[in-house]
Amino acid sequence: MSQKPLTVLLAGPRGFCAGVDRAIEIVEKSIEKFGAPVYVRHEIVHNKYVVDELRGKGAVFVEELDEVPEGSPVVFSAHGVPKSVPAEAEQRNMIHVDATCPLVTKVHVDARRHDKDGQTVILIGHAGHPEVVGTLGQLSAGKIVLVENIEQVSSLTIADPDNLAFVTQTTLSVDDTAEIVRALQKRFPNIEAPRKEDICYATTNRQAAVKTLAPDCDAFIVIGAPNSSNSNRLAEVAQATGCPKSILIERAADLDMEWVDGAETLGITAGASAPELLVQELIAALKEEFDVTVREVAVTTEDVHFSLPRTLTA
Ligand code: SF4
C-alpha cells in the first residue's frame, strides 16, 4: 500500500543554544581535567538524552551539594544557582565549575545591581523552575518578588512603588511576558526595565520560527523535555499562533503515529536543550509511516558562542 504524503516543515533555528552547548562542554572538559566522577548539581540541561550521555562519560547527577563527597569536583547547571550554593561549595573545599549560561548570569548581575541601588526587584518567571530559584537566591528574602502572571500584578504590595525594577526568566513566552510587563508598567509607571531584554536570543528566535510556521501546519511537534521551560513555551506558541494541534514529546518513541494521521503538513522544532539527533530520529520514524518531504524554514541564523570558564582553559 502506498504511503500517505506528509510535508514536514522544520523550524530554524531549533535545538541547542550556545548556553546548552557550553554547559555540556563544561561537564565533558571537567571530566577530562579532574577525572571521573564529576558531580553535577541538577540536570545540567533539561534533557534526559543529554544527561544519560554525560552519565555514561562519568558525570554523577545530584540535587544538592550534601550528596557530593567533600573535596570532589562539582558543576553547577546552565540554569544558575542561588548565591548560597557556591558559598557552600567553597566552605566544603569543593572544586566548583559554574556552567550557568552567561545570559542567566546577566540577569543575576542586574538583580544585584538594582538591589545595591536600593530598588525592590520583581522577577517575572515560573515558581519552582531552577532558573527562578537561582535568580531569587541572588538577593535576600523580601528584596525580590516573583510574579508569574497578570493576575498577580494587581495584588502586589510594594512598599516603595517608585523604587522598583524588574527582571525576567530567560525562557518565557515573549508575548505573555510583554503583557505582564505592560500590566506592571501601568501599575508602577516608574518601574525600571532591563537595559537589554532578559528573554534570551535562543528563546526569542525559536518562538519566532514557530510563529512563522504554525499557521501553515495541521499539526506541530516540539521535541523537548517535559520540565524544559523553553520547550513547553514552543508548544504553547504553536497552539496560540495557528496550530492548535501541537504537542511536546521527548523522543520519537513517544509519538503515536495515529496522532499525525490526517495531517498534510507537520511542523517540527526542538527546544534549546534538545539535540538535533532526536529531531532526525523523529523524521526517520515518520518516514517509516509516511511519504515524507522535508522542508527547512529558517527565520534567522544564529552565530552565538560562549567561552568556557577559566578553570577549564588555564
Ligand atoms: S535558553 Fe537562553 S538562557 Fe537558556 S541556556 Fe540557552 S541561551 Fe542561555
Side-chain angles (χ1 to χ4, degrees), residues 15-21 23 45 78-79 99-104 131 169-171 198-203 206 230 272-273 304 306:
F16 278 7
C17 60
V20 164
D21 271 335
V45 300
H79 312 97
T100 303
C101 175
L103 300 181
V104 175
E131 183 186 325
Q169 191 178 336
T170 56
T171 51
D198 286 338
I199 296 178
C200 75
Y201 79 96
T203 299
R206 280 151 192 69
N230 79 87
S273 43
V304 181
F306 298 129

